[in-house]
Amino acid sequence: IKTLGECLFRLARYDEAVDTYKKAIPHEKDKCDLWQRIAQIRSGQGRYNEAVEAYRQAIKVSPSEGKPYRLLAALVWNSGNKSEALNIYREGVAKAPKDGELHAAYAYALMSNQQWSEAAQAYKNAAKAMGSNPQIEAGYKSAMEHAAYEE
């Protein structure tokens, strides 16, 4: 069933693809992936509320998986609700503490929101989860410089 959904998606038959993915959910091991696919289709269609709900379902079936938190937070952030997005990131890093990409995305959001000290800590957590990474190190340095300037 999942393969049929992929074919329908490639044919730009998005509503049919979503219906097929929903039918596949009870039979598939990776339910999180299917909910994320549904969310991405709905987001691409501009159906924000349905995309949010699908990402929430992905989180519900795989609460320790970082990717759906990251994607949901980005969607919510881009819709203009930065406070809710930061809360989603916070929940995500608490439940998926080893997901370096999630920590990095959270740090970047904090930097964009000028929360320098929190961003520095998030970059430290990203580095801990991901290892040495020039972008993470540069983000951490920038956050620390801004935090020091504020004091």
Side-chain angles (χ1 to χ4, degrees), residues 100-118:
E101 288 184 36
L102 179 59
H103 283 287
Y106 178 42
Y108 181 77
L110 289 165
M111 289 285 285
S112 297
N113 212 40
Q114 299 181 353
Q115 293 177 252
W116 314 119
S117 298
E118 294 93 336

Side-chain angles (χ1 to χ4, degrees), residues 130-144:
M130 297 171 77
S132 180
N133 179 309
Q135 290 177 314
I136 299 300
E137 292 167 15
Y140 174 74
K141 181 180 176 186
S142 178
M144 290 299 292

Side-chain angles (χ1 to χ4, degrees), residues 5-127:
E6 292 167 0
C7 291
L8 290 166
F9 176 80
R10 282 191 215 106
L11 293 170
R13 294 167 60 182
Y14 303 122
D15 289 332
E16 291 174 81
V18 166
D19 290 341
T20 302
Y21 287 143
K22 285 182 178 179
K23 289 176 186 168
I25 288 170
H27 310 288
E28 288 291 325
K29 181 180 177 186
D30 191 358
K31 294 170 182 17
C32 181
D33 177 62
L34 290 173
W35 280 116
Q36 289 178 114
R37 288 172 188 235
I38 292 167
Q40 290 168 334
I41 290 170
R42 291 307 190 212
S43 178
Q45 292 176 308
R47 294 163 74 170
Y48 175 82
N49 291 337
E50 291 176 62
V52 167
E53 181 55 32
Y55 280 129
R56 291 199 187 284
Q57 288 296 323
I59 290 167
K60 184 177 178 181
V61 299
S62 293
S64 62
E65 174 76 33
K67 185 176 179 181
Y69 292 102
R70 185 169 38 87
L71 295 173
L72 174 58
L75 177 65
V76 171
W77 181 277
N78 290 332
S79 77
N81 195 339
K82 294 179 180 183
S83 177
E84 183 183 348
L86 290 173
N87 286 334
I88 294 165
Y89 279 123
R90 284 184 195 102
E91 179 185 350
V93 297
K95 295 197 176 161
K98 295 182 180 180
D99 189 314
E101 288 184 36
L102 179 59
H103 283 287
Y106 178 42
Y108 181 77
L110 289 165
M111 289 285 285
S112 297
N113 212 40
Q114 299 181 353
Q115 293 177 252
W116 314 119
S117 298
E118 294 93 336
Q121 184 60 51
Y123 277 122
K124 280 176 76 171
N125 293 337

